[in-house]
Structures are given as C-alpha cells and as structure tokens.
Amino acid sequence: MKYRRQHKSLFCISILSPFYFLLLQCFSTVTASNYAATYNPTDNIALDCGSSGNSTASDGRAWTGDIGSILSTLQPLDTTIAARAIRQGPVEGIPYLTARMSSSQFTYAFLVSAGLKFVRLYFYPSWYPGFDRSKALFSVKSGPFTLLSNFRADLVADSLGLEYFVREFCINVEENQLLNLTFSPSPSSSNDSYAFVNGIEIVSMPHNLYYTPAGADGIPFIGQTYFYEIENITALETLYRLDVGGHSISPTGDSGMFRFWSDDNQFFMGGGVIPDKANSTIKYTKETPAYIAPAEVYQTSRSMGPNKTWNMRNNLTWVLPVDLGFRYLVRLHLCETNPAITQVSDRQFIIYIDGEMVDEAADAIIWSGGNSMPAYRDYLALIGFEGTQGKYNLSIDLHTRAGFSAYVDAVLNGIEIFKLNSTTGSLAGPNPEPPKTIFLTEPSQLTIKGSSNKKITFIAVGVIVTVGLVLLSLRLYTMFRLQRESKDHGYKLKFTETKASLLPWEVCLQFSKAETKEVTHV
C-alpha cells in the first residue's frame, strides 16, 4: 500500500468543470463502441466439489467435478470425503448438492496464469451423512491471506435467511505460482469439527478493475489528506455489489466475469421515488469500458423526483453493515440517462460516505463526459474497532446542491464495497450470533431423537405452566390480603388489570396516590 498527498487539483477540476467537459469532448477520438465488448477471462474455472465429470448449472454455466479433475489437485485425497447433501428446502443443484469435506486439513492447488483472480467459495451448510450441520467450523487460507477464520457457514446462512451463499475474494497470483486454498478444521472442545466446500471458482480479472493502475495517484482516503493506492499485494473480499434501483443480475448476465449483482432494496433507507429504468444505449468509454459493470447497472437508478422543496430537506441514503477494524473500498457507479440532462451542472449533488463529504459537486456529465456515458468513483474508508469487534453501519448519503443546478436532485446507479486485508493478512470477521432458541435435528436421525425432543418439550412446557401458576397464586394472595386490610381500615381499593399482556406475570395492579398512602401510612 502507498499513500500520496491529495493535491488541490481535484478542487480545481470542480471549479473548472466546463473546461474539463470540453477537454473530454475534444480529445476523445475513440468511439464508445470500441469499449463495449465484455471481458474474456484467461482463467475460467468452475469446480464442482465432491462430484465427477462435467455438468451444467441452471444458468447454463459449465462445471467440472473435482474427482479426477485436471483443473486442480487435492491433497491429501485419502482423508477427504465426497458427500451428497441431504436436501432441505429449495436449492439450486450445481454446485450445491455435493461437497468435499474432511475432519483434517486439505488443500486445493490450481495451476493458473499470473495476475489478479476472483476466488469464489460456494457453501451449502446442509446435513451430510455422518456430519452434524453445526459442527462445521474451519478456516480457509490462500498464501499469506486468511480468507475465513473459525467460520460457521450455518450461522452465516441462518443470519442471511438463505439456504446457500457465496463468498468472493480478489487475490493476485505471481508468475510460476500455484493458487492454493487450504481448508483447516478449527480446534473444538468435542474434537469433532470439520471443513467443507461445495464449489470453487477461479476467474481472471483485468489488472486495473479494482486495483490502482501503475503511475496513478490512488483513491481519496476519506477524512485524510492522502490518496491511497490499492496494490496487487492486497487481498479483497466483496461485501456488496448492488444494482441500485434495479433487480438482481445473475453471474451469466455480468460483463464476462460471472459477478453477481443484488438489488439494493434491503439497504436503501427511503427518501427516493420509484426506481427508474432507462431505455438508452450505454456508451462505454476508455475510462469506463464494458467490463466495469453491465449495461443494466447503468440503465437503472434511484433519484429523488421532481419535488424541489422535498428534495432539499431529504437525502438518498443507503446503510451497509461492515466489520469493525478494516479498510473498505467504496465504489459508486453513475450514469446520466435523463435525455433532458446534457450539460455540466444540470444536476449536481453532494456525496457523504460515513458522514464525511467526499464530493461537494458530483455531476455525472463531468464524471463521464456526456449523457448515457457511464462513470464510477472510488473512495477508501477506515472503520476502527471502537473498542469492540462486531458490525458497523457504513452509510452513503446523497444530498441536493440547491442554487447550483437546474435539477435539484440526486441520482445513483450502483454500489460496490470491498474489505481490504488487515496488516496480518486477514479478511476474516466474526461469525453472526447464534440463535438463542433453536433446535435442529438431522433428518436421518429424527426417529432416533424424536422421543428425547418430546421429553424436552414436555419439560419446558411444564416449567412454564408451573411458574405461571405460582405467580398467579401470589397475585391472588396479594389481592386478598389488600382487600382484608382495606376492610379493616375502612377504605376501598380498586384493582385494574392491564390488557397489554396475556402472560399472568405481566398482569399489573394499579393504585391511586391516595390509596397507596392509606395502605403504607406514608
């Protein structure tokens, strides 16, 4: 990593934006169509772990089984097991229904070309014959990087409300170097933990897709006076890749690298009108070729709408949970597709990331050079520990720039967020908190454990009923005692039961101040 001091030039470009726009128009001698081709990766490996032969997934992607595969080697082979999942719920077939698993360490080695790679690990934390779902506890390393540590795939899936999921990383491979992925079961008190994986993808990427090109200044470091260079000795983990205002885009709908784009509905906090979908043709450029993001990302967006008064009082806001103690690459995608907006300053707005202003006059025409021309901007955010490990809500806010624009509005097309490895080479974060009251039973053992589960249920119900009766008895005794005392002292007490709760221990007695004073003689 390298730091470079930020210069005044960024501010000058903002002030001289009309001149900047003219320069882009004058010196752009190559047509956009030359940059519209999708990326053709040098390495494109899709390994279906625990299976043999070739197969095709539901999206048309070709997968190769790891049994007898020439794409990778597995060591040691004799201590691993190829297992088929016991299905629980709707699951896409390949590569999720088979897995490679072991109670001891194992390593996949891939012979690939030098350069930057996407590494995707597919997990379906189901029940497998002889393996308890909750005992999968392991770490994954690649060279000097720890990708996952003491990882509980079942907790991750449960927290996301998903049956299966993918973890994506970016790793550089040097010349004459194998790409190794080592899976190691973590030590446990019961000594029965194991590691598993359902599928592995290795896909090449352009060298400057997310990393700083040679000779470039780097990206703005939020809250600092320095630029930050993301060198290829850094590993990244993809946390979010959002098609703002659009729908999810499948890996085969990506621009050649099989990236998955999600919609932003879960993370958008309101403040915008109905998402917009443009029919314009996206004009890719040398600065933003087609492999940066598919056209659908730039054709969909969120904006604030035509009400200027409302817009001036509100923001477009996204809140995205991240792990404490890491640096994050935040990428914002922007493309002006409103045919009425063609000039500099027609629509300008302010961008805040984590509460810090990062652009006081964001303008898609300045960023890209014209209407329907895509662009993006990268920023680096540092999220400290704040004394504890856990999650932190990283916010992205767009606010109008009133008095400077014909359209008092803000717009955004896409968001990507990546975690950078720590100084120790780790990308691993904490597991989600386990559910406090959940009992899972392996389907194949339901007949064996059914009676014991019934016992537990009956005991639990019995305890609840007993506690309820005891508390109800105390309540009745209290009412009787107070009524007797009221008769002895010549006054009348009024009892009122709240209707907010149906539980016996949540029934309350209410007394007026005068009644309380009479009873307590205070």
Side-chain angles (χ1 to χ4, degrees), residues 394-411:
L394 178 63
S395 63
I396 298 172
D397 298 280
L398 309 185
H399 189 67
T400 59
R401 194 168 183 254
F404 296 89
S405 305
Y407 290 79
V408 182
D409 197 2
V411 63

Side-chain angles (χ1 to χ4, degrees), residues 3 172-173 262 356 387 434 465 489-490:
Y3 300 88
N172 186 56
V173 179
S262 305
E356 296 273 353
V465 171
H489 291 84

Side-chain angles (χ1 to χ4, degrees), residues 215-262:
D217 284 335
I219 62 177
F221 196 152
I222 299 172
Q224 306 295 325
T225 58
Y226 296 91
F227 286 101
Y228 188 93
E229 293 186 42
I230 302 179
E231 299 177 291
N232 61 9
I233 58 172
T234 304
L236 308 178
E237 179 183 3
T238 307
L239 298 187
Y240 301 100
R241 183 175 286 123
L242 306 179
D243 178 16
V244 171
H247 302 285
S248 60
I249 303 173
S250 71
T252 53
D254 186 42
S255 48
M257 289 166 281
F258 303 97
R259 296 169 296 180
F260 176 76
W261 297 77
S262 305

Side-chain angles (χ1 to χ4, degrees), residues 44-58 61-69 71-72 74 81-85 92-101 108 110 120 122-124 128 197-202:
N44 182 10
I45 297 173
L47 196 69
D48 187 7
C49 301
S51 72
S52 60
N54 299 323
S55 52
T56 303
S58 58
R61 184 92 186 275
W63 290 76
T64 300
D66 70 343
I67 299 175
S69 171
L71 300 177
S72 67
L74 177 62
I81 296 173
R84 177 167 288 273
E92 291 186 10
I94 301 166
Y96 292 106
L97 293 185
T98 59
R100 178 65 58 181
M101 46 215 326
Y108 281 98
F110 297 87
R120 300 186 183 108
Y122 289 71
F123 296 106
Y124 176 35
Y128 296 85
V197 63
N198 297 86
I200 300 173
E201 264 190 277
I202 311 293

